[in-house]
Amino acid sequence: SASGIAVSFPQTKDDGGSNVTHYKVEWNAMSYHGVASVEPGNALFLSHAVQTVTMSADVYSSLGGTFRLAFEGHATQSLKVDASANEMKLAVEGLPTVGEVAVSRQDVPNGHVWAITFVTNRSYSDWFGDIGPISVSVSATDLPALFLSDTGGISGTLTGTNARLNVGAPVRGFDGYEQQTISTRCDS
């Protein structure tokens, strides 16, 4: 059904000396759409961070123009407000601080939501989990330090009635886990 799933298990070959009375089922949803219906804070222990970029206007037909994204001090070229998921993917992966991403685009009333799943991160090649935020700009000339998390009230290169661009982070990678880096050294 659309709201349930049937799960069955074969009898275990090794019960450890006791009858198996319970199973723990873990679901690994690797994308924003897999956890979009989960209440914030309840999507723990997902290995990849997901950030969303939402473009909207009061009247969809009036939405136009361009925007840019920045991550860790580097900015994309201008993207059209109706950029495809692949165009967004290529732009984000073109940043020297980003590795591989998976991008999906969902059309919503009066705009679009791009979900960007960070699969790898060039800045921290040995780091998995949460990462810093994406920021956005509706200026063709802003330096990344001037980008924001929400462009509400700033029209810049956007057209449309109350056109707005904002960033969210619905999935923080490994939220709830602590990650530490241990280094070893051997002197000969």
Side-chain angles (χ1 to χ4, degrees):
S1 80
S3 62
I5 184 170
V7 180
S8 63
F9 298 91
Q11 184 174 359
T12 181
K13 293 181 181 178
D14 181 6
D15 62 13
S18 298
N19 290 335
V20 176
T21 60
H22 295 81
Y23 287 93
K24 179 180 180 181
V25 177
E26 295 181 353
W27 188 296
N28 187 3
M30 296 295 289
S31 72
Y32 163 72
H33 299 292
V35 296
S37 62
V38 176
E39 289 185 33
N42 288 341
L44 296 178
F45 313 122
L46 298 174
S47 58
H48 296 88
V50 179
Q51 296 186 31
T52 56
V53 176
T54 303
M55 173 68 63
S56 63
D58 288 351
V59 179
Y60 178 76
S61 62
S62 70
L63 188 57
T66 60
F67 65 96
R68 296 167 54 218
L69 303 177
F71 183 72
E72 295 182 349
H74 298 273
T76 66
Q77 297 294 320
S78 292
L79 291 158
K80 293 181 181 179
V81 296
D82 62 350
S84 69
N86 191 56
E87 289 169 329
M88 178 72 78
K89 174 183 172 60
L90 293 173
V92 173
E93 286 182 345
L95 298 174
T97 51
V98 176
E100 180 186 352
V101 296
V103 178
S104 63
R105 187 185 102 170
Q106 181 178 12
D107 295 331
V108 296
N110 299 336
H112 314 287
V113 177
W114 294 269
I116 304 169
T117 303
F118 287 81
V119 179
T120 63
N121 184 341
R122 286 187 190 153
S123 291
Y124 306 103
S125 60
D126 60 345
W127 185 265
F128 296 95
D130 200 31
I131 57 170
I134 292 174
S135 53
V136 293
S137 176
V138 291
S139 166
T141 59
D142 274 354
L143 295 174
L146 299 174
F147 284 38
L148 307 165
S149 62
D150 191 329
T151 64
I154 304 170
S155 58
T157 56
L158 291 182
T159 60
T161 308
N162 294 319
R164 181 178 192 171
L165 181 66
N166 62 20
V167 177
V171 179
R172 296 172 52 90
F174 285 123
D175 194 12
Y177 279 109
E178 178 179 337
Q179 183 175 359
Q180 299 180 358
T181 302
I182 299 172
S183 300
T184 60
R185 188 177 96 186
C186 180
D187 294 325
S188 55

